[in-house]
Amino acid sequence: MIDLRSLSYVVTLARRLSFARAAEDLGISQPALTRAVQAVEKRFDVRLFDRDRSGVRVTAQGQAMLDAAAVLLANANDLERQWDRTAKGQSGDVYFGMAPMPARALLSATVLERLKAAPGVRNIAVVRNVDALWPLLVAGEIEFFVAAEGQVPEAVPVRAEVVGTFPNSLIVRRGHPLLTGTGTDARFPILTSSRSGMSHAAGLEDTADGAPHVIEDFGALVQLTASSDAIWRTSSYAVAEEITRGLLCELPRSRGNAAKNIRMMMYRLERRSQSVGAKSLAQIMRRLTRQLSGQKW
C-alpha cells in the first residue's frame, strides 16, 4: 500500500515541475526526492514523469494518477483537521440527556455557551425522566445524563459526578393563601414533574389535597401554578425567571421536608471515556449552578 508521504512527493513534483523546487518545498534533498519518485513508478510499473534537459513533464498516464492522488491528499488533510478539531472538542456530536427539572434550570444557558465557544459541535439533548434516560445511557445512545441523586439503580456500574446542589422548593403563585397567612388550615393540590426523586409530597401531608398531580411539561406547570392555588414541588432554580418577574414565589422552606437540598448529578457508564464536549458541558453546568445559588429573589 502506498503511503501518503510518497503521494505528497509526486504531487508536489507535478505541481512544481522541478526537482530542485519540489525538494525545497518538501524539505528533503533532490536525491531523496528522485529515489522516492522512482520507487512509486517502479511500484506501479508506470512512468509518471518525462525527464530531459528541458525539464520535467507529467506523462499523459501519470496525469490521471496524479490528479487522483491530489484529491486523496486533500481528503486526508481534511480528515486530519476534522480529527484534530474533534479531539479538542471543536467538532463532532455530543449526545446527552437531562431530567426535566435540571433541564429547565440549566439546559438553554449551557447550550448557548457551547454554541458560542464551539459552533462546530452539534448538541443533541433529550429531556426525559430518569426511567427513560437510563435505557438510553445503557444502549450508548447518550453519553451521560443529568438528574437528581438517588434515582439510578445501585447495582448498575455508573460513574456519578456532582454538578451542584439544588434547593428542594415549594413554589406557589403570587398572593397564595399560604403567603398571606390565610390558608394555614386549607388543603391544596400538589404538582410535580416526576413520580420519583423530588416529586414526592413528603412533608405536605397536612397541606396536600390528595396525591400529587404528575405533569411532565414545565410550561403547563408554570401556568397551572400561576393561575391556581396549587403547590408545585420543584426547585427554585428551575423557575428562577418566573420568580424574578414576580409571577411565582417560593414558600418558606420550613414547610418542606427535612431534605432541604438535593444534589444534581451527571451519570455516565463506568469505564466509558468522557469526551471533551461532555466535560465542557459539565463545567458550564457547575458554574451556572453556582451562579444560581448566589441569586437573591
Side-chain angles (χ1 to χ4, degrees):
M1 181 181 293
I2 190 170
D3 60 32
L4 294 180
R5 179 178 298 179
S6 296
L7 288 183
S8 69
Y9 288 172
V10 295
V11 168
T12 301
L13 180 57
R15 176 171 52 84
R16 299 293 277 167
L17 294 178
S18 164
F19 276 88
R21 291 193 292 269
E24 182 179 359
D25 289 351
L26 293 167
I28 62 176
S29 66
Q30 289 188 52
L33 176 59
T34 298
R35 290 193 296 271
V37 172
Q38 290 174 343
V40 173
E41 291 181 326
K42 181 178 180 180
R43 164 69 175 80
F44 293 97
D45 192 21
V46 65
R47 192 168 186 84
L48 299 174
F49 303 96
D50 285 329
R51 315 158 181 86
D52 56 33
R53 293 181 179 180
S54 63
V56 178
R57 294 184 303 277
V58 180
T59 65
Q61 190 174 13
Q63 188 65 60
M65 298 176 69
L66 291 167
D67 287 345
V71 171
L72 178 59
L73 286 174
N75 290 337
N77 289 334
D78 287 342
L79 177 62
E80 184 177 10
R81 285 192 292 271
Q82 180 182 346
W83 278 30
D84 184 62
R85 285 174 56 82
T86 300
K88 294 177 179 178
Q90 295 297 315
S91 182
D93 299 337
V94 182
Y95 293 82
F96 65 101
M98 297 188 76
M101 193 271 286
R104 175 78 179 195
L106 303 172
L107 182 56
S108 60
T110 298
V111 174
L112 180 60
E113 286 203 28
R114 288 294 291 162
L115 290 176
K116 294 177 180 178
V121 176
R122 189 171 64 144
N123 300 281
I124 299 92
V126 293
V127 179
R128 301 175 189 173
N129 287 320
V130 173
D131 56 356
L133 291 174
W134 174 242
L136 297 178
L137 183 68
V138 173
E141 295 184 28
I142 56 176
E143 186 175 344
F144 68 89
F145 69 82
V146 176
E149 185 178 31
Q151 300 185 65
V152 174
E154 294 182 1
V156 177
V158 297
R159 177 168 295 181
E161 300 175 5
V162 179
V163 173
T165 301
F166 278 44
N168 197 351
S169 311
L170 301 177
I171 304 299
V172 297
R173 67 172 175 83
R174 181 176 56 184
H176 192 280
L178 291 177
L179 292 174
T180 61
T182 60
T184 54
D185 296 327
R187 290 180 174 269
F188 305 96
I190 306 300
L191 305 178
T192 180
S193 63
S194 171
R195 295 178 182 273
S196 58
M198 296 178 62
S199 64
H200 56 80
L204 294 173
E205 292 83 357
D206 295 334
T207 307
D209 182 16
H213 302 271
V214 181
I215 311 295
E216 294 186 356
D217 182 78
F218 264 67
L221 284 165
V222 169
Q223 292 179 2
L224 285 168
T225 306
S227 58
S228 74
D229 286 339
I231 302 174
W232 179 10
R233 192 175 191 90
T234 184
S235 172
S236 57
Y237 289 1
V239 288
E241 181 180 347
E242 289 78 7
I243 293 176
T244 301
R245 286 170 26 214
L247 179 66
L248 300 177
C249 301
E250 182 178 4
L251 286 177
R253 288 192 178 187
S254 58
R255 288 191 173 274
N257 58 21
K260 299 298 189 294
N261 297 296
I262 187 164
R263 292 201 303 176
M264 205 57 57
M265 311 295 291
M266 171 184 282
Y267 294 101
R268 58 190 176 94
L269 291 182
E270 191 72 50
R271 298 181 180 178
R272 183 170 295 178
S273 299
Q274 191 174 25
S275 69
V276 174
K279 293 177 182 178
S280 298
L281 287 168
Q283 291 173 355
I284 294 172
M285 290 180 190
R286 291 188 183 100
R287 177 168 47 76
L288 291 174
T289 301
R290 290 194 298 269
Q291 291 175 0
L292 286 168
S293 67
Q295 291 189 19
K296 301 297 182 183
W297 294 304

